[in-house]
Amino acid sequence: MTPLLELSGITKHFGAIEALAGVDITLGHGEIVGLMGDNGAGKSTLVKIVAGNFAPSAGDMRLGGRPVRFGSPLDAREAGVEVVYQDLALCDNLSASLNIFLGRELTRGIGPLRFLDRRAMAARARELFAELKTNTVPGDLVKSMSGGQRQAVAIARTRLAEPKIVLMDEPTAAISVRQVAEVLELIRTLSRAGHTVVLISHRMPDVFSICDRVIVLRRGTKVADKPVSATSPEEVTGLITGAIEAA
Amino acid sequence: MSSNPGRPRFDAVDFAAQYAAFIFLILLVIGFAILQPNFLNPFNLLNVLRQVSISGLIAIGMTFVILTAGIDLSVGSLVALCGLAGAYVAKGGLDSRFAIGAAEQAGNPVWMATGVAILVGMGAGAVQGLAITRLRVPPFVVTLGGLSAWRGAALLLSDGGPISGFTPDYTWWGQGRIWTIPVPVILFAVAAILAHVVLRYTRFGLHVYAVGGNAAAATLNTVSTRRIVFSVYVIVGFFCGLAAFILSARLNSAEAVAGLGLELDVIAAVVIGGTSLFGGVGTIFGTVSGALLIGVLRNGLVLLNVSSFVQQIVIGVILVLAVAVDQAAMSRKGR
């Protein structure tokens, strides 16, 4: 079976800074892969390349065996890549349901005369929130929400399409302990439904409790890529800090 | 962390920021009606509406701009340029600029003059929109440049003088009435309703709010921020062209000094109406309330024989108070 996503030799320069130096990564169907590394290791840059925000300076991407080049987040989204950004990418001035549907709003009307179908969007948002077991209200403005509720909005957004890959940038960093378990459970649900999840996280327990595999980046290069069962939090910590060169 | 399902929480500061202009408008109307019974005379009220409709039309366009956290300082100058361009077409050039009788004129039909005025406005808006989105010059600077440049272009086009004396089917757009309602008032009302529908019920309108709320997030969600920002400057240009045509029709004259300082009235109407200069918050209802508030205040103070110098001070103070409410709402948001 062809891997879902293959990245080979992905390199990214920002001026003189080399954020990524030839990274190779392969993702299988339905896998949960932990992507770890210290601040500045290149995790966010890698995510933004897969999500179509940046074009790589060099290197190739293949999705389902076919070479792809994302010129914009829209291209990536249409190819089946969804992202939960670290800052969640929410508009504070809009309601939860409008944030979920931003960029792919439901409309009704005749021909080219189309109007937002707020009711349908709110109804779908309510379903998604029910799946997530969150107390988020579709009509509430995001600016009035707690960190966990905001996270729920951002995660609900990825569930709108049937994505192939969901990239999650630190989804558990800013929410309460109780909600961490809920978010992790949701990630398992996504994976069971056949979606591939990439979990970018600083939290060792999260990665070790749900990931199949862990990839460690350090200063723009991949220093480890192995099944979670074949490593330990101690080894991964060593790899992140550089105490262990590579594994 | 229990929420209150289905019911948006009531927020007094937000409420005040949204409806302050309308509430204050009602209070003013009541106050003036008590102090000066002539105020409620239908002719006076219609007159207020007619005076408001020029700056009000542009304020509708300005609402789109300010919702994206932009600003357009060039509207007054653009009104002069668009009005002259339309008048130039209507009169068939400068040679007959003061000709009055239809027989003397080698002019063009009114629709052509209207079309040119509006196209010049949209073209100028497109130029400014491109400078903002492609050259990444801040809107304040681009439109400050426009404030100077469009006025210069108006002076060049008109050779410094007015173009006046239009046919009755031209002046009808500024002076005419349908039943008893002045035509500019009807145009203002129709434009306000259309703009409200666009902002509240269309994807484009939602994207205007999204760009103003968090442009980076909007971009990540595949909203073309550039296209939206470009569009709002074209929209305000459209309204400048339309307002310029109506103004020239009302005055039966277009001149290069038309619309001097108009940007202040327009921006004041939008901001007093509760639209946040930080973007993302505001309504057409608020803008219309703000425009009416300024018009009623001017008119009422005139009827009460208050000096026009004092009026300017009063409007300035209200503008600052409106932004103070906006700031209070903002700082609470950034918890």
Side-chain angles (χ1 to χ4, degrees):
Chain A
M1 198 173 179
T2 21
L4 179 58
L5 180 75
E6 294 164 274
L7 304 178
S8 48
I10 296 289
T11 301
K12 181 69 187 176
H13 304 280
F14 295 105
I17 299 162
E18 189 168 54
L20 290 173
V23 173
D24 302 325
I25 287 178
T26 305
L27 299 178
H29 295 266
E31 259 193 312
I32 308 180
V33 177
L35 182 60
M36 304 198 75
D38 212 342
N39 292 340
K43 305 183 302 284
S44 290
T45 307
L46 189 64
V47 167
K48 286 191 165 151
I49 286 172
V50 178
N53 297 116
F54 299 151
S57 309
D60 298 309
M61 262 197 281
R62 286 166 173 278
L63 191 64
R66 261 191 262 158
V68 286
R69 188 161 288 272
F70 299 145
S72 72
L74 186 61
D75 290 351
R77 195 182 251 187
E78 279 172 357
V81 179
E82 289 283 337
V83 192
V84 178
Y85 292 97
Q86 191 164 8
D87 64 3
L88 302 181
L90 298 174
C91 291
D92 272 359
N93 58 330
L94 301 180
S95 69
S97 63
L98 289 176
N99 265 288
I100 290 174
F101 282 91
L102 190 58
R104 47 192 161 185
E105 298 81 3
L106 301 180
T107 57
R108 62 196 159 85
I110 318 138
L113 205 63
R114 310 218 53 93
F115 297 104
L116 295 175
D117 193 345
R118 285 169 191 264
R119 192 172 302 172
M121 288 191 272
R124 183 79 183 101
R126 196 167 292 115
E127 285 171 21
L128 291 170
F129 289 144
E131 277 177 39
L132 298 185
K133 299 181 180 66
T134 165
N135 60 356
T136 311
V137 179
D140 277 1
L141 293 185
V142 167
K143 73 174 168 186
S144 67
M145 288 182 180
S146 71
Q149 288 172 325
R150 297 166 67 95
Q151 190 75 44
V153 175
I155 292 174
R157 180 150 72 196
T158 69
R159 297 282 296 123
L160 208 52
E162 281 298 312
K164 296 189 180 106
I165 304 174
V166 180
L167 304 168
M168 302 189 122
D169 198 354
E170 299 281 0
T172 54
I175 59 178
S176 69
V177 175
R178 186 172 58 85
Q179 284 163 326
V180 167
E182 285 173 16
V183 170
L184 296 182
E185 187 50 43
L186 172 78
I187 294 171
R188 282 198 196 92
T189 318
L190 285 174
S191 152
R192 273 197 295 269
H195 307 309
T196 298
V197 180
V198 178
L199 174 66
I200 296 100
S201 185
H202 271 102
R203 289 169 46 93
M204 214 56 81
D206 295 357
V207 170
F208 277 84
S209 69
I210 62 163
C211 291
D212 303 312
R213 193 149 58 95
V214 58
I215 294 171
V216 180
L217 293 182
R218 190 169 68 236
R219 290 199 223 129
T221 52
K222 187 170 85 170
V223 293
D225 184 348
K226 59 206 292 192
V228 167
S229 52
T231 183
S232 65
E234 292 71 26
E235 188 188 34
V236 171
T237 306
L239 287 162
I240 290 171
T241 58
I244 303 171
E245 201 54 49
Chain B
M1 282 311 306
S2 73
S3 68
N4 193 359
R7 189 178 309 163
R9 283 168 217 99
F10 180 76
D11 188 321
V13 178
D14 276 3
F15 183 81
Q18 287 295 306
Y19 295 105
F22 183 70
I23 295 165
F24 194 31
L25 172 66
I26 300 297
L27 293 178
L28 265 189
V29 168
I30 294 170
F32 285 138
I34 293 168
L35 293 172
Q36 175 53 273
N38 282 340
F39 174 78
L40 284 183
N41 182 318
F43 284 106
N44 184 54
L45 291 180
L46 283 177
N47 200 25
V48 172
L49 287 175
R50 195 174 60 183
Q51 284 168 351
V52 159
S53 52
I54 302 284
S55 61
L57 276 169
I58 303 170
I60 290 170
M62 187 70 80
T63 308
F64 284 79
V65 170
I66 295 182
L67 278 175
T68 66
I71 193 82
D72 190 345
L73 301 173
S74 73
V75 292
S77 299
L78 193 50
V79 161
L81 178 60
C82 295
L84 281 166
Y88 189 95
V89 170
K91 303 283 278 191
L94 290 183
D95 292 340
S96 56
R97 67 193 307 170
F98 301 124
I100 289 170
E104 300 172 56
Q105 293 180 22
N108 293 298
V110 175
W111 65 265
M112 217 180 274
T114 320
V116 166
I118 288 174
L119 284 179
V120 167
M122 292 173 79
V127 169
Q128 297 188 141
L130 285 176
I132 290 161
T133 54
R134 297 286 157 174
L135 306 181
R136 296 166 189 277
V137 183
F140 184 91
V141 177
V142 168
T143 60
L144 190 62
L147 173 87
S148 174
W150 309 135
R151 184 73 64 191
L155 286 162
L156 264 183
L157 175 66
S158 68
D159 218 3
I163 301 177
S164 51
F166 304 114
T167 53
D169 55 342
Y170 188 111
T171 55
W172 179 82
W173 290 93
Q175 300 171 2
R177 289 167 186 270
I178 295 178
W179 293 315
T180 54
I181 315 290
V183 173
V185 175
I186 293 169
L187 292 173
F188 177 38
V190 170
I193 291 166
L194 286 179
H196 171 78
V197 168
V198 167
L199 277 180
R200 175 105 183 107
Y201 298 105
T202 68
R203 294 186 71 196
F204 175 79
L206 176 63
H207 292 173
V208 168
Y209 281 95
V211 166
N214 186 344
T219 307
L220 290 174
N221 285 293
T222 73
V223 172
S224 173
T225 305
R226 270 186 183 171
R227 189 177 67 84
I228 298 292
V229 171
F230 173 78
S231 305
V232 297
Y233 289 92
V234 175
I235 288 171
V236 76
F238 168 88
F239 282 106
C240 284
L242 180 62
F245 168 71
I246 294 169
L247 181 65
S248 67
R250 195 176 102 200
L251 303 177
N252 198 14
S253 175
E255 42 194 310
V257 292
L260 264 181
L262 187 61
E263 59 279 353
L264 288 181
D265 262 17
V266 169
I267 294 169
V270 176
V271 171
I272 290 173
T275 298
S276 167
L277 284 167
F278 304 101
V281 177
T283 59
I284 293 295
F285 176 78
T287 294
V288 171
S289 304
L292 290 176
L293 175 61
I294 294 174
V296 164
L297 195 62
R298 286 234 167 91
N299 177 265
L301 293 176
V302 167
L303 291 181
L304 295 175
N305 289 321
V306 176
S307 135
S308 67
F309 307 151
V310 175
Q311 295 170 29
Q312 292 191 25
I313 295 172
V314 171
I315 287 168
V317 169
I318 291 176
L319 179 66
V320 173
L321 286 179
V323 176
V325 173
D326 182 22
Q327 279 282 11
M330 268 302 288
S331 63
R332 286 154 19 104
K333 189 193 289 183
R335 272 161 301 183

